[in-house]
Amino acid sequence: MKEIEFYDVKAKNKFKTAKFDIREKKGRFFAVAKSPTGPHECWRILSAKQAKELK
């Protein structure tokens, strides 16, 4: 799986990971990863094309 970059809003830092899920909500696609600094999730908006490539 390809590594992508996320921004952790709570920790205020960026991180890269290849461990993420692709989720769809109301027709929009998101990559969701667990934060390396806590128990919360970090979400990143994806285009439909990006979501298809990463699945």
Side-chain angles (χ1 to χ4, degrees):
M1 194 176 257
K2 187 177 176 183
E3 195 173 72
I4 61 173
E5 189 171 72
F6 289 85
Y7 182 74
D8 187 339
V9 176
K10 289 186 179 182
K12 297 180 182 165
N13 65 343
K14 293 180 183 179
F15 66 96
K16 289 187 178 185
T17 185
K19 295 181 181 180
F20 58 87
D21 296 325
I22 304 294
R23 297 188 193 167
E24 183 180 356
K25 277 193 165 187
K26 298 180 182 179
R28 296 189 75 185
F29 294 95
F30 301 89
V32 183
K34 185 189 174 304
S35 169
T37 59
H40 56 279
E41 294 180 329
C42 300
W43 290 60
R44 177 183 169 148
I45 299 171
L46 300 175
S47 68
K49 181 181 175 184
Q50 287 174 316
K52 187 177 178 181
E53 290 173 358
L54 294 170
K55 277 188 178 180

Short mmCIF file of all heavy atoms in Angstrom, two decimals:
data_model
loop_
_atom_site.label_atom_id
_atom_site.label_comp_id
_atom_site.label_asym_id
_atom_site.label_seq_id
_atom_site.Cartn_x
_atom_site.Cartn_y
_atom_site.Cartn_z
N MET A 1 0.85 -1.19 0.00
CA MET A 1 0.00 0.00 0.00
C MET A 1 0.89 1.25 0.00
O MET A 1 1.94 1.27 0.63
CB MET A 1 -0.92 -0.02 1.23
CG MET A 1 -2.04 0.96 1.17
SD MET A 1 -3.17 0.84 2.56
CE MET A 1 -4.51 0.00 1.76
N LYS A 2 0.44 2.25 -0.70
CA LYS A 2 1.21 3.48 -0.83
C LYS A 2 1.16 4.29 0.47
O LYS A 2 0.15 4.35 1.15
CB LYS A 2 0.62 4.32 -1.97
CG LYS A 2 1.41 5.53 -2.31
CD LYS A 2 0.80 6.25 -3.50
CE LYS A 2 1.55 7.53 -3.77
NZ LYS A 2 0.94 8.28 -4.86
N GLU A 3 2.27 4.92 0.82
CA GLU A 3 2.36 5.76 2.02
C GLU A 3 1.85 7.17 1.68
O GLU A 3 2.24 7.74 0.67
CB GLU A 3 3.81 5.81 2.49
CG GLU A 3 3.98 6.34 3.88
CD GLU A 3 5.41 6.22 4.37
OE1 GLU A 3 6.27 6.97 3.89
OE2 GLU A 3 5.66 5.35 5.21
N ILE A 4 0.95 7.69 2.53
CA ILE A 4 0.46 9.05 2.31
C ILE A 4 0.63 9.86 3.60
O ILE A 4 0.82 9.30 4.68
CB ILE A 4 -1.01 9.09 1.83
CG1 ILE A 4 -1.95 8.45 2.84
CG2 ILE A 4 -1.16 8.43 0.48
CD1 ILE A 4 -3.42 8.61 2.47
N GLU A 5 0.55 11.18 3.45
CA GLU A 5 0.79 12.08 4.57
C GLU A 5 -0.54 12.55 5.18
O GLU A 5 -1.48 12.85 4.46
CB GLU A 5 1.59 13.28 4.09
CG GLU A 5 2.08 14.17 5.20
CD GLU A 5 3.04 15.23 4.69
OE1 GLU A 5 2.58 16.17 4.02
OE2 GLU A 5 4.24 15.10 4.95
N PHE A 6 -0.58 12.56 6.50
CA PHE A 6 -1.73 13.03 7.25
C PHE A 6 -1.28 14.18 8.14
O PHE A 6 -0.10 14.31 8.45
CB PHE A 6 -2.27 11.92 8.17
CG PHE A 6 -2.96 10.82 7.44
CD1 PHE A 6 -2.25 9.76 6.92
CD2 PHE A 6 -4.34 10.82 7.29
CE1 PHE A 6 -2.88 8.73 6.26
CE2 PHE A 6 -4.98 9.80 6.63
CZ PHE A 6 -4.26 8.75 6.11
N TYR A 7 -2.25 15.00 8.59
CA TYR A 7 -1.98 16.05 9.56
C TYR A 7 -2.78 15.76 10.81
O TYR A 7 -4.01 15.62 10.75
CB TYR A 7 -2.36 17.43 9.00
CG TYR A 7 -2.04 18.55 9.96
CD1 TYR A 7 -0.73 18.96 10.16
CD2 TYR A 7 -3.03 19.18 10.70
CE1 TYR A 7 -0.42 19.97 11.05
CE2 TYR A 7 -2.74 20.20 11.58
CZ TYR A 7 -1.43 20.58 11.76
OH TYR A 7 -1.12 21.58 12.65
N ASP A 8 -2.11 15.64 11.94
CA ASP A 8 -2.75 15.39 13.22
C ASP A 8 -3.10 16.75 13.84
O ASP A 8 -2.22 17.47 14.29
CB ASP A 8 -1.81 14.60 14.12
CG ASP A 8 -2.47 14.14 15.41
OD1 ASP A 8 -3.49 14.73 15.81
OD2 ASP A 8 -1.95 13.19 16.03
N VAL A 9 -4.39 17.08 13.85
CA VAL A 9 -4.84 18.39 14.33
C VAL A 9 -4.56 18.54 15.84
O VAL A 9 -4.14 19.60 16.29
CB VAL A 9 -6.34 18.59 14.03
CG1 VAL A 9 -6.85 19.89 14.61
CG2 VAL A 9 -6.58 18.56 12.54
N LYS A 10 -4.79 17.49 16.60
CA LYS A 10 -4.60 17.57 18.06
C LYS A 10 -3.13 17.72 18.43
O LYS A 10 -2.79 18.48 19.33
CB LYS A 10 -5.20 16.35 18.74
CG LYS A 10 -6.72 16.36 18.71
CD LYS A 10 -7.30 15.22 19.50
CE LYS A 10 -8.82 15.29 19.46
NZ LYS A 10 -9.44 14.24 20.26
N ALA A 11 -2.25 16.99 17.77
CA ALA A 11 -0.82 17.06 18.07
C ALA A 11 -0.11 18.15 17.26
O ALA A 11 1.05 18.47 17.51
CB ALA A 11 -0.15 15.71 17.79
N LYS A 12 -0.81 18.70 16.26
CA LYS A 12 -0.29 19.75 15.39
C LYS A 12 1.01 19.36 14.69
O LYS A 12 1.99 20.10 14.69
CB LYS A 12 -0.09 21.05 16.18
CG LYS A 12 -1.39 21.60 16.72
CD LYS A 12 -1.17 22.87 17.50
CE LYS A 12 -2.51 23.34 18.05
NZ LYS A 12 -2.39 24.33 19.07
N ASN A 13 1.00 18.16 14.09
CA ASN A 13 2.16 17.73 13.32
C ASN A 13 1.73 16.81 12.19
O ASN A 13 0.65 16.24 12.21
CB ASN A 13 3.23 17.07 14.20
CG ASN A 13 2.74 15.78 14.82
OD1 ASN A 13 1.56 15.51 14.87
ND2 ASN A 13 3.66 14.97 15.29
N LYS A 14 2.61 16.67 11.20
CA LYS A 14 2.35 15.80 10.05
C LYS A 14 3.04 14.46 10.29
O LYS A 14 4.05 14.38 10.97
CB LYS A 14 2.92 16.42 8.78
CG LYS A 14 2.22 17.67 8.34
CD LYS A 14 2.85 18.21 7.07
CE LYS A 14 2.22 19.51 6.64
NZ LYS A 14 2.84 20.03 5.41
N PHE A 15 2.47 13.41 9.68
CA PHE A 15 3.10 12.11 9.72
C PHE A 15 2.71 11.33 8.46
O PHE A 15 1.69 11.62 7.84
CB PHE A 15 2.71 11.32 10.98
CG PHE A 15 1.25 10.95 11.06
CD1 PHE A 15 0.82 9.69 10.65
CD2 PHE A 15 0.30 11.83 11.56
CE1 PHE A 15 -0.51 9.33 10.72
CE2 PHE A 15 -1.03 11.49 11.65
CZ PHE A 15 -1.44 10.23 11.23
N LYS A 16 3.56 10.39 8.08
CA LYS A 16 3.29 9.54 6.92
C LYS A 16 3.05 8.13 7.40
O LYS A 16 3.71 7.66 8.33
CB LYS A 16 4.47 9.55 5.95
CG LYS A 16 4.64 10.84 5.21
CD LYS A 16 5.71 10.73 4.16
CE LYS A 16 5.84 12.04 3.41
NZ LYS A 16 6.79 11.95 2.31
N THR A 17 2.09 7.46 6.75
CA THR A 17 1.81 6.08 7.09
C THR A 17 1.21 5.35 5.89
O THR A 17 0.62 5.97 5.02
CB THR A 17 0.85 5.96 8.30
OG1 THR A 17 0.71 4.59 8.65
CG2 THR A 17 -0.51 6.55 8.00
N ALA A 18 1.40 4.05 5.86
CA ALA A 18 0.79 3.20 4.84
C ALA A 18 -0.37 2.42 5.44
O ALA A 18 -1.04 1.67 4.74
CB ALA A 18 1.83 2.25 4.27
N LYS A 19 -0.62 2.60 6.74
CA LYS A 19 -1.71 1.89 7.43
C LYS A 19 -2.90 2.83 7.57
O LYS A 19 -2.97 3.64 8.49
CB LYS A 19 -1.26 1.43 8.81
CG LYS A 19 -0.16 0.40 8.78
CD LYS A 19 0.22 -0.03 10.17
CE LYS A 19 1.34 -1.05 10.14
NZ LYS A 19 1.71 -1.48 11.48
N PHE A 20 -3.82 2.75 6.60
CA PHE A 20 -5.01 3.58 6.62
C PHE A 20 -6.15 2.87 5.92
O PHE A 20 -5.94 1.91 5.18
CB PHE A 20 -4.75 4.94 5.96
CG PHE A 20 -4.28 4.85 4.53
CD1 PHE A 20 -5.19 4.79 3.49
CD2 PHE A 20 -2.93 4.82 4.24
CE1 PHE A 20 -4.77 4.70 2.18
CE2 PHE A 20 -2.49 4.74 2.93
CZ PHE A 20 -3.41 4.68 1.90
N ASP A 21 -7.37 3.31 6.19
CA ASP A 21 -8.57 2.79 5.56
C ASP A 21 -9.14 3.86 4.64
O ASP A 21 -9.00 5.05 4.91
CB ASP A 21 -9.65 2.46 6.61
CG ASP A 21 -9.23 1.36 7.56
OD1 ASP A 21 -8.52 0.44 7.12
OD2 ASP A 21 -9.61 1.44 8.74
N ILE A 22 -9.83 3.42 3.59
CA ILE A 22 -10.55 4.34 2.72
C ILE A 22 -12.02 4.26 3.13
O ILE A 22 -12.60 3.17 3.17
CB ILE A 22 -10.40 3.95 1.23
CG1 ILE A 22 -8.93 3.87 0.82
CG2 ILE A 22 -11.19 4.91 0.35
CD1 ILE A 22 -8.20 5.19 0.85
N ARG A 23 -12.62 5.40 3.44
CA ARG A 23 -14.03 5.45 3.85
C ARG A 23 -14.78 6.44 2.97
O ARG A 23 -14.21 7.42 2.51
CB ARG A 23 -14.17 5.87 5.31
CG ARG A 23 -13.52 4.90 6.27
CD ARG A 23 -13.83 5.25 7.70
NE ARG A 23 -12.95 4.50 8.61
CZ ARG A 23 -12.83 4.79 9.89
NH1 ARG A 23 -13.50 5.78 10.44
NH2 ARG A 23 -12.02 4.07 10.64
N GLU A 24 -16.06 6.14 2.76
CA GLU A 24 -16.91 7.03 1.98
C GLU A 24 -18.05 7.52 2.86
O GLU A 24 -18.69 6.75 3.56
CB GLU A 24 -17.48 6.30 0.77
CG GLU A 24 -18.31 7.18 -0.12
CD GLU A 24 -18.89 6.46 -1.32
OE1 GLU A 24 -18.59 5.26 -1.52
OE2 GLU A 24 -19.65 7.10 -2.06
N LYS A 25 -18.26 8.83 2.86
CA LYS A 25 -19.35 9.45 3.60
C LYS A 25 -20.03 10.46 2.69
O LYS A 25 -19.37 11.39 2.21
CB LYS A 25 -18.83 10.17 4.85
CG LYS A 25 -18.61 9.29 6.04
CD LYS A 25 -18.42 10.14 7.27
CE LYS A 25 -18.58 9.27 8.50
NZ LYS A 25 -18.58 10.06 9.71
N LYS A 26 -21.31 10.26 2.46
CA LYS A 26 -22.12 11.18 1.66
C LYS A 26 -21.48 11.48 0.30
O LYS A 26 -21.44 12.62 -0.15
CB LYS A 26 -22.38 12.48 2.42
CG LYS A 26 -23.16 12.27 3.70
CD LYS A 26 -23.40 13.57 4.41
CE LYS A 26 -24.15 13.31 5.72
NZ LYS A 26 -24.38 14.55 6.46
N GLY A 27 -20.92 10.46 -0.33
CA GLY A 27 -20.34 10.61 -1.66
C GLY A 27 -18.93 11.16 -1.70
O GLY A 27 -18.36 11.32 -2.77
N ARG A 28 -18.34 11.45 -0.53
CA ARG A 28 -16.95 11.94 -0.49
C ARG A 28 -16.06 10.85 0.07
O ARG A 28 -16.49 10.05 0.89
CB ARG A 28 -16.85 13.19 0.40
CG ARG A 28 -17.66 14.34 -0.19
CD ARG A 28 -17.43 15.61 0.50
NE ARG A 28 -16.13 16.15 0.09
CZ ARG A 28 -15.59 17.23 0.61
NH1 ARG A 28 -16.21 17.90 1.55
NH2 ARG A 28 -14.43 17.66 0.20
N PHE A 29 -14.81 10.83 -0.35
CA PHE A 29 -13.87 9.80 0.07
C PHE A 29 -12.83 10.37 1.03
O PHE A 29 -12.37 11.50 0.87
CB PHE A 29 -13.16 9.21 -1.15
CG PHE A 29 -14.10 8.45 -2.05
CD1 PHE A 29 -14.68 9.06 -3.15
CD2 PHE A 29 -14.40 7.12 -1.79
CE1 PHE A 29 -15.55 8.38 -3.97
CE2 PHE A 29 -15.27 6.42 -2.60
CZ PHE A 29 -15.84 7.05 -3.70
N PHE A 30 -12.47 9.55 2.02
CA PHE A 30 -11.50 9.95 3.04
C PHE A 30 -10.53 8.80 3.30
O PHE A 30 -10.91 7.64 3.26
CB PHE A 30 -12.21 10.28 4.36
CG PHE A 30 -13.22 11.38 4.26
CD1 PHE A 30 -14.54 11.13 3.95
CD2 PHE A 30 -12.84 12.70 4.49
CE1 PHE A 30 -15.47 12.14 3.86
CE2 PHE A 30 -13.77 13.73 4.40
CZ PHE A 30 -15.08 13.45 4.09
N ALA A 31 -9.30 9.16 3.60
CA ALA A 31 -8.32 8.20 4.12
C ALA A 31 -8.29 8.44 5.63
O ALA A 31 -8.22 9.59 6.08
CB ALA A 31 -6.95 8.45 3.51
N VAL A 32 -8.38 7.36 6.41
CA VAL A 32 -8.44 7.48 7.86
C VAL A 32 -7.33 6.63 8.47
O VAL A 32 -7.23 5.43 8.20
CB VAL A 32 -9.82 7.00 8.40
CG1 VAL A 32 -9.89 7.20 9.90
CG2 VAL A 32 -10.95 7.73 7.71
N ALA A 33 -6.51 7.27 9.31
CA ALA A 33 -5.40 6.58 9.97
C ALA A 33 -5.44 6.86 11.46
O ALA A 33 -5.92 7.90 11.90
CB ALA A 33 -4.07 7.04 9.39
N LYS A 34 -4.90 5.93 12.24
CA LYS A 34 -4.78 6.13 13.68
C LYS A 34 -3.62 7.09 13.94
O LYS A 34 -2.57 6.98 13.32
CB LYS A 34 -4.52 4.81 14.39
CG LYS A 34 -4.50 4.92 15.90
CD LYS A 34 -4.03 3.65 16.55
CE LYS A 34 -3.88 3.82 18.04
NZ LYS A 34 -2.98 4.89 18.43
N SER A 35 -3.81 8.00 14.86
CA SER A 35 -2.77 8.95 15.20
C SER A 35 -1.61 8.25 15.91
O SER A 35 -1.84 7.41 16.77
CB SER A 35 -3.33 10.03 16.12
OG SER A 35 -2.29 10.82 16.64
N PRO A 36 -0.36 8.60 15.58
CA PRO A 36 0.78 7.99 16.29
C PRO A 36 0.95 8.55 17.70
O PRO A 36 1.69 7.98 18.50
CB PRO A 36 1.98 8.35 15.40
CG PRO A 36 1.55 9.55 14.65
CD PRO A 36 0.06 9.45 14.48
N THR A 37 0.26 9.65 18.03
CA THR A 37 0.45 10.29 19.34
C THR A 37 -0.72 10.09 20.30
O THR A 37 -0.68 10.60 21.41
CB THR A 37 0.67 11.81 19.17
OG1 THR A 37 -0.47 12.37 18.50
CG2 THR A 37 1.93 12.09 18.37
N GLY A 38 -1.76 9.38 19.86
CA GLY A 38 -2.91 9.20 20.76
C GLY A 38 -3.92 8.23 20.18
O GLY A 38 -3.70 7.65 19.12
N PRO A 39 -5.05 8.08 20.86
CA PRO A 39 -6.05 7.09 20.43
C PRO A 39 -7.01 7.60 19.35
O PRO A 39 -7.84 6.85 18.87
CB PRO A 39 -6.82 6.83 21.73
CG PRO A 39 -6.74 8.12 22.47
CD PRO A 39 -5.37 8.67 22.15
N HIS A 40 -6.89 8.84 18.93
CA HIS A 40 -7.82 9.41 17.96
C HIS A 40 -7.42 9.08 16.52
O HIS A 40 -6.33 8.60 16.26
CB HIS A 40 -7.93 10.93 18.15
CG HIS A 40 -6.62 11.63 18.08
ND1 HIS A 40 -5.75 11.71 19.16
CD2 HIS A 40 -6.01 12.29 17.07
CE1 HIS A 40 -4.68 12.38 18.80
NE2 HIS A 40 -4.81 12.74 17.54
N GLU A 41 -8.36 9.35 15.60
CA GLU A 41 -8.13 9.11 14.18
C GLU A 41 -7.84 10.43 13.46
O GLU A 41 -8.31 11.48 13.87
CB GLU A 41 -9.38 8.48 13.54
CG GLU A 41 -9.69 7.11 14.04
CD GLU A 41 -10.94 6.53 13.38
OE1 GLU A 41 -11.86 7.31 13.02
OE2 GLU A 41 -10.99 5.31 13.22
N CYS A 42 -7.09 10.33 12.38
CA CYS A 42 -6.80 11.48 11.53
C CYS A 42 -7.42 11.19 10.16
O CYS A 42 -7.24 10.11 9.62
CB CYS A 42 -5.30 11.68 11.39
SG CYS A 42 -4.48 11.99 12.97
N TRP A 43 -8.15 12.17 9.63
CA TRP A 43 -8.85 12.02 8.36
C TRP A 43 -8.22 12.92 7.31
O TRP A 43 -7.84 14.04 7.60
CB TRP A 43 -10.32 12.41 8.54
CG TRP A 43 -11.11 11.45 9.37
CD1 TRP A 43 -10.87 11.10 10.67
CD2 TRP A 43 -12.26 10.73 8.99
NE1 TRP A 43 -11.80 10.22 11.10
CE2 TRP A 43 -12.68 9.97 10.08
CE3 TRP A 43 -13.00 10.67 7.80
CZ2 TRP A 43 -13.79 9.14 10.04
CZ3 TRP A 43 -14.11 9.85 7.76
CH2 TRP A 43 -14.49 9.10 8.87
N ARG A 44 -8.16 12.41 6.08
CA ARG A 44 -7.66 13.19 4.96
C ARG A 44 -8.64 13.06 3.80
O ARG A 44 -9.06 11.94 3.46
CB ARG A 44 -6.29 12.68 4.54
CG ARG A 44 -5.75 13.40 3.32
CD ARG A 44 -4.43 12.83 2.87
NE ARG A 44 -4.10 13.39 1.57
CZ ARG A 44 -2.88 13.63 1.16
NH1 ARG A 44 -1.87 13.35 1.95
NH2 ARG A 44 -2.66 14.13 -0.02
N ILE A 45 -9.03 14.16 3.20
CA ILE A 45 -9.97 14.15 2.08
C ILE A 45 -9.24 13.64 0.83
O ILE A 45 -8.11 14.04 0.55
CB ILE A 45 -10.54 15.55 1.82
CG1 ILE A 45 -11.30 16.04 3.04
CG2 ILE A 45 -11.43 15.56 0.59
CD1 ILE A 45 -11.71 17.50 2.96
N LEU A 46 -9.92 12.78 0.09
CA LEU A 46 -9.38 12.24 -1.16
C LEU A 46 -10.35 12.53 -2.30
O LEU A 46 -11.56 12.61 -2.09
CB LEU A 46 -9.21 10.72 -1.06
CG LEU A 46 -8.29 10.17 0.00
CD1 LEU A 46 -8.38 8.65 0.00
CD2 LEU A 46 -6.86 10.60 -0.25
N SER A 47 -9.81 12.63 -3.50
CA SER A 47 -10.68 12.72 -4.67
C SER A 47 -11.13 11.30 -4.99
O SER A 47 -10.57 10.31 -4.50
CB SER A 47 -9.91 13.30 -5.86
OG SER A 47 -8.92 12.40 -6.29
N ALA A 48 -12.15 11.18 -5.81
CA ALA A 48 -12.63 9.85 -6.21
C ALA A 48 -11.52 9.07 -6.92
O ALA A 48 -11.36 7.87 -6.73
CB ALA A 48 -13.86 9.98 -7.10
N LYS A 49 -10.73 9.78 -7.72
CA LYS A 49 -9.61 9.15 -8.45
C LYS A 49 -8.56 8.62 -7.47
O LYS A 49 -8.07 7.50 -7.61
CB LYS A 49 -8.99 10.16 -9.42
CG LYS A 49 -7.87 9.60 -10.23
CD LYS A 49 -7.27 10.66 -11.16
CE LYS A 49 -6.06 10.12 -11.87
NZ LYS A 49 -5.42 11.15 -12.69
N GLN A 50 -8.20 9.44 -6.46
CA GLN A 50 -7.22 9.00 -5.46
C GLN A 50 -7.73 7.79 -4.69
O GLN A 50 -6.98 6.86 -4.43
CB GLN A 50 -6.92 10.13 -4.46
CG GLN A 50 -6.10 11.25 -5.00
CD GLN A 50 -5.99 12.37 -3.99
OE1 GLN A 50 -6.97 12.77 -3.36
NE2 GLN A 50 -4.79 12.92 -3.85
N ALA A 51 -8.98 7.81 -4.30
CA ALA A 51 -9.57 6.70 -3.54
C ALA A 51 -9.52 5.41 -4.36
O ALA A 51 -9.18 4.35 -3.82
CB ALA A 51 -11.01 7.03 -3.15
N LYS A 52 -9.83 5.51 -5.65
CA LYS A 52 -9.79 4.33 -6.52
C LYS A 52 -8.36 3.79 -6.64
O LYS A 52 -8.15 2.59 -6.61
CB LYS A 52 -10.33 4.71 -7.89
CG LYS A 52 -10.50 3.55 -8.82
CD LYS A 52 -11.12 3.98 -10.16
CE LYS A 52 -11.24 2.81 -11.10
NZ LYS A 52 -11.80 3.21 -12.38
N GLU A 53 -7.37 4.68 -6.75
CA GLU A 53 -5.97 4.26 -6.88
C GLU A 53 -5.45 3.61 -5.60
O GLU A 53 -4.64 2.70 -5.65
CB GLU A 53 -5.09 5.46 -7.22
CG GLU A 53 -5.30 5.99 -8.63
CD GLU A 53 -4.54 7.29 -8.88
OE1 GLU A 53 -3.88 7.81 -7.95
OE2 GLU A 53 -4.62 7.78 -10.02
N LEU A 54 -5.91 4.10 -4.44
CA LEU A 54 -5.39 3.61 -3.17
C LEU A 54 -6.10 2.37 -2.65
O LEU A 54 -5.60 1.70 -1.76
CB LEU A 54 -5.47 4.72 -2.11
CG LEU A 54 -4.58 5.93 -2.35
CD1 LEU A 54 -4.92 7.04 -1.38
CD2 LEU A 54 -3.12 5.55 -2.23
N LYS A 55 -7.27 2.04 -3.21
CA LYS A 55 -8.02 0.85 -2.76
C LYS A 55 -7.30 -0.42 -3.11
O LYS A 55 -6.64 -0.59 -4.04
CB LYS A 55 -9.42 0.83 -3.33
CG LYS A 55 -10.37 1.67 -2.53
CD LYS A 55 -11.78 1.47 -2.99
CE LYS A 55 -12.73 2.29 -2.15
NZ LYS A 55 -14.10 2.15 -2.54
#
